[in-house]
Amino acid sequence: MLIKNEPKFVWQNGRIIKWNESKISLLTHALHYGTAVFEGIRAYPSKDNLNIFRLKEHLKRLLFSAKVYFLSNEYTIKEMSKSIINLIQKNNFHKKTYIRPLIYVGDGGIGLNFTGFPIETAIIAIPFTHYFLKSKLRVKVSTWRKISHDSNPAMAKASGNYLNSVLGKLEAIRDGYDEAIMLDQRGFVSEGTGENIFLVKNKIIYTPAVSSSILLGITRDTVITLANDLGYKIIEREIDRAELYDCDEAFFTGTAAEIAPITELDNRLIGDGKIGIVSGNLRDAYIQTIEGKNDKYNEWLTKVY
Ligand code: PMP
């Protein structure tokens, strides 16, 4: 199978193998029922190395997601970190890289009860630059609601959750927008299809709380930390849809999306339709940090070489 950035090697169940030797059964439970959990991690070049950003936090969340769905992963955080580093080295990647660890229920039959089925683990690393190809996003509020916390917990990064995101994303793209914002079951702002959301009003930063069916994003946490350092007041609370139209600035955050300004929402300009000052400051601080130029957060970087 060909993808644009096909890597030479992947990691599957404890071994690095050639990309075209990796196989899964057509009866893989995860393929039928979405029974998998995963992570999206990035590595960035610095002056003299390639650094994986917040690897430990991503792997902790992966194991948390696995715990929610009783996926008994046999690898520790330390072992998975080592495997990720080995895989990037083996592929000889030195530029921006995206890393996708995946724990999935393998082939054990067609029943939903996967007790006793193999739980498999894979790691894929590919060169990756931008998720959004535009610097200013036109966004719409989706007609689809975000999955409810009491049916599919959004806190767990489970593959099955992304059917909801796919509905939101495809609707937005087909309607001529770049991305969708999902409202939670009560109508409060939740998040993007693969990003958390932040608003800025009168220099105060707002972001939905965990009670709005969000993934507790690692970029979200990074931005909250950097915003505090820059002296901004930041509030986590429920956000009304109309607050989106009333804000001065809005932006998405995510490992893939990084910090992505939203300048138009539901055919209304956000602020003056330009990238806002607070968003710009936070984006600069974020870039400094991922590129290893913010000494305060060097512990967030794991060296590959
Ligand atoms: N929400 C959803 C639904 C996501 O898929 C992602 C991407 N992982 C995020 C938020 C942002 O999370 P993070 O900053 O940890 O990448």
Side-chain angles (χ1 to χ4, degrees):
M1 228 278 255
L2 279 175
I3 59 168
K4 211 166 124 214
N5 285 323
E6 182 187 309
K8 282 206 174 74
F9 298 98
V10 291
W11 184 101
Q12 197 176 18
N13 298 322
R15 287 192 315 131
I16 291 180
I17 54 174
K18 287 200 179 121
W19 167 262
N20 53 10
E21 284 169 6
S22 64
K23 280 196 196 131
I24 59 161
S25 157
L26 283 178
L27 271 178
T28 297
H29 198 268
L31 189 61
H32 297 250
Y33 305 121
T35 41
V37 296
F38 68 96
E39 272 304 317
I41 310 171
R42 269 190 190 261
Y44 292 96
S46 61
K47 215 166 60 219
D48 52 3
N49 215 314
L50 183 75
N51 303 301
I52 308 171
F53 191 61
R54 304 198 72 175
L55 176 60
K56 201 165 159 197
E57 291 85 345
H58 278 285
L59 291 177
K60 267 192 184 163
R61 188 172 66 186
L62 180 70
L63 297 196
F64 162 74
S65 303
K67 178 180 177 181
V68 171
Y69 286 96
F70 298 105
L71 301 181
S72 46
N73 170 52
E74 57 179 293
Y75 303 101
T76 62
I77 289 184
K78 225 171 161 182
E79 287 165 339
M80 293 206 70
S81 303
K82 190 110 195 42
S83 304
I84 288 171
I85 291 168
N86 289 343
L87 179 65
I88 299 176
Q89 288 176 348
K90 183 85 179 168
N91 277 301
N92 199 24
F93 290 152
H94 291 269
K95 295 192 177 145
K96 281 186 177 184
T97 303
Y98 187 79
I99 305 143
R100 167 58 55 83
L102 180 73
I103 302 174
Y104 58 99
V105 182
D107 175 356
I110 57 161
L112 284 180
N113 172 15
F114 61 72
T115 310
F117 288 16
I119 307 298
E120 315 221 5
T121 309
I123 306 166
I124 305 115
I126 52 168
F128 186 70
T129 52
H130 300 295
Y131 182 67
F132 290 115
L133 301 175
K134 293 184 186 162
S135 58
K136 296 175 9 171
L137 300 178
R138 284 187 72 236
V139 174
K140 72 169 272 177
V141 170
S142 182
T143 62
W144 296 99
R145 285 290 168 93
K146 177 82 192 187
I147 45 173
S148 159
H149 67 97
D150 55 0
S151 59
N152 294 84
M155 267 177 74
K157 196 167 167 62
S159 295
N161 289 0
Y162 285 82
L163 281 176
N164 179 240
S165 290
V166 163
L167 283 174
K169 184 81 183 184
L170 292 184
E171 178 189 71
I173 298 294
R174 277 155 205 249
D175 286 353
Y177 297 87
D178 303 311
E179 182 55 296
I181 292 172
M182 314 293 287
L183 304 181
D184 71 15
Q185 295 288 313
R186 304 159 304 161
F188 291 111
V189 176
S190 177
E191 58 181 353
T193 63
E195 312 85 20
N196 292 111
I197 188 169
F198 287 76
L199 313 184
V200 182
K201 174 80 184 168
N202 297 332
K203 300 264 181 294
I204 299 175
I205 304 172
Y206 299 88
T207 194
V210 70
S211 52
S212 285
S213 290
I214 62 165
L215 182 73
L216 283 173
I218 288 155
T219 320
R220 177 183 181 276
D221 179 73
T222 303
V223 164
I224 291 172
T225 307
L226 296 176
N228 277 320
D229 286 355
L230 291 172
Y232 290 113
K233 184 170 176 189
I234 186 150
I235 298 173
E236 292 177 60
R237 66 155 169 80
E238 279 151 359
I239 294 174
D240 278 4
R241 175 175 183 165
E243 288 184 85
L244 293 170
Y245 305 138
D246 186 42
C247 67
D248 305 322
E249 303 179 31
F251 57 90
F252 286 126
T253 65
T255 299
E258 302 174 313
I259 296 184
I262 305 167
T263 51
E264 203 183 313
L265 175 68
D266 290 342
N267 307 315
R268 296 156 176 92
L269 286 186
I270 304 250
D272 58 5
K274 299 200 182 111
I275 298 171
I277 291 172
V278 179
S279 314
N281 285 344
L282 286 169
R283 201 174 51 175
D284 291 347
Y286 186 71
I287 292 168
Q288 294 268 320
T289 307
I290 56 180
E291 288 181 350
K293 294 176 191 154
N294 184 347
D295 288 345
K296 192 167 174 197
Y297 298 111
N298 274 343
E299 85 267 12
W300 282 346
L301 308 178
T302 303
K303 289 184 168 61
V304 173
Y305 296 100

